[in-house]
Amino acid sequence: MAEGLEPHLEALRRELRGPAVLSVLVALIAVAITFLIWRFVQGRRSSRKAVLLLGLCDAGKTLLFARLLSGRYRDTQTSITDSSAVYRLSQDKSTNVTLIDLPGHESLRLQFLERFKAAARAIVFVVDSVAFQREVKDVAEFLYQVLVDSTVLRNAPALLIACNKQDVTMAKSAKLIQQQLEKELNTLRVTRSAAPTSLDGSATGGPAQLGKKGKDFDFSQLPMKVEFVECSARGSKGEEGEADLEGLQKWLVKVA
């Protein structure tokens, strides 16, 4: 009986050595590698649970931070260190992120960004919509430093530009702020790309090219998804009123 099966076994062995089977094995290996890479990327993303609140001094980050956590108004002062807390995104408390409010002072903001950027799942860049016209160059400078950071570019956290203080009549709209920021960031990119090189031939400008070469900059060119929202941490009725953070809260749920 064994002798009768031998020709069939030999034929099976030849089939397994054939090009068709080899192609199937290569395809299976490719699928397995793709799956492992996907699991690795997802694992890294799920380990990043922080939402960083960035912006210049007096943009309203700390009040916004407090409003999100407690819903109540409180007097704030210019931060000189970070503040963090778990923010629940659902009633059953099963979904949450860690909100981290970082100082906006020029001498502190980059060193605190350096400390927390690797853990960022998302970034909320808070802009003072009332003082924006006066501060646009400083806002664009800080945002530029964030956007060309190698870790931020690699991890590509979701980015929200929160146009705060919309309760004030003179506040600029999110659309105008977006247009002005794109214009200023484009100017910065041109300036940095034209920076002189050092003796060893390396550029002394920014560490990375912002946007697409040969095209005027706009936020759609970035590796991360960028959105704009209008909000008010103070609220239209001042200290006694409720904050207008609905757009921000919906975005946080979406990126969690």
Side-chain angles (χ1 to χ4, degrees):
M1 184 175 183
E3 292 177 357
L5 290 174
E6 187 61 34
H8 298 288
L9 292 173
E10 182 59 31
L12 181 59
R13 292 190 193 102
R14 286 197 299 270
E15 286 293 328
L16 290 174
R17 291 196 295 267
V21 175
L22 182 61
S23 298
V24 171
L25 289 175
V26 170
L28 289 174
I29 291 171
V31 170
I33 292 173
T34 302
F35 177 73
L36 290 172
I37 293 173
W38 179 82
R39 285 292 301 271
F40 175 73
V41 172
Q42 288 297 109
R44 287 190 61 188
R45 186 175 185 275
S46 63
S47 67
R48 301 197 306 269
K49 298 287 289 184
V51 176
L52 308 185
L53 302 183
L54 308 179
L56 303 187
C57 283
D58 300 322
K61 299 185 307 299
T62 303
L63 179 56
L64 188 150
F65 175 78
R67 284 285 209 177
L68 285 171
L69 294 172
S70 68
R72 295 190 296 272
Y73 177 91
R74 70 177 176 88
D75 291 324
T76 61
Q77 296 179 333
T78 300
S79 303
I80 58 172
T81 188
D82 61 281
S83 299
S84 63
V86 174
Y87 176 59
R88 307 292 181 184
L89 293 162
S90 60
Q91 294 294 331
D92 60 7
K93 299 183 180 182
S94 61
T95 307
N96 62 75
V97 294
T98 301
L99 290 179
I100 306 179
D101 175 27
L102 302 185
H105 193 278
E106 186 177 3
S107 64
L108 298 172
R109 58 197 183 206
L110 290 181
Q111 72 182 60
F112 278 90
L113 175 64
E114 183 69 26
R115 184 182 304 177
F116 293 104
K117 64 186 181 183
R121 186 184 194 87
I123 294 174
V124 178
F125 193 96
V126 185
V127 174
D128 183 337
S129 303
V130 179
F132 177 73
Q133 209 66 50
R134 182 176 69 253
E135 298 178 342
V136 59
K137 292 185 182 300
D138 292 333
V139 172
E141 174 70 31
F142 183 22
L143 185 57
Y144 180 91
Q145 292 171 318
V146 174
L147 294 177
V148 298
D149 182 274
S150 58
T151 301
V152 174
L153 285 172
R154 182 174 64 253
N155 292 341
L159 174 63
L160 181 73
I161 310 297
C163 305
N164 193 25
K165 304 187 183 181
Q166 289 291 319
D167 55 294
V168 181
T169 305
M170 299 301 292
K172 301 297 183 287
S173 69
K175 183 176 181 180
L176 184 144
I177 288 172
Q178 177 177 348
Q179 292 171 344
Q180 289 296 311
L181 279 179
E182 287 177 339
K183 181 179 177 181
E184 288 295 330
L185 288 169
N186 189 63
T187 300
L188 276 171
R189 179 180 66 170
V190 172
T191 303
R192 298 299 172 88
S193 64
T197 55
S198 60
L199 292 177
D200 63 1
S202 61
T204 57
Q209 173 70 35
L210 188 68
K212 294 181 179 179
K213 190 174 181 179
K215 292 186 176 182
D216 288 342
F217 173 79
D218 66 67
F219 285 102
S220 67
Q221 298 168 5
L222 296 173
M224 70 282 288
K225 184 174 177 58
V226 183
E227 297 181 55
F228 283 72
V229 70
E230 296 181 356
C231 62
S232 174
R234 185 178 177 87
S236 59
K237 295 182 180 179
E239 299 179 14
E240 301 301 322
E242 293 185 2
D244 180 11
L245 302 178
E246 183 179 358
L248 171 56
Q249 291 168 324
K250 287 181 177 179
W251 182 84
L252 287 171
V253 171
K254 185 167 60 174
V255 302

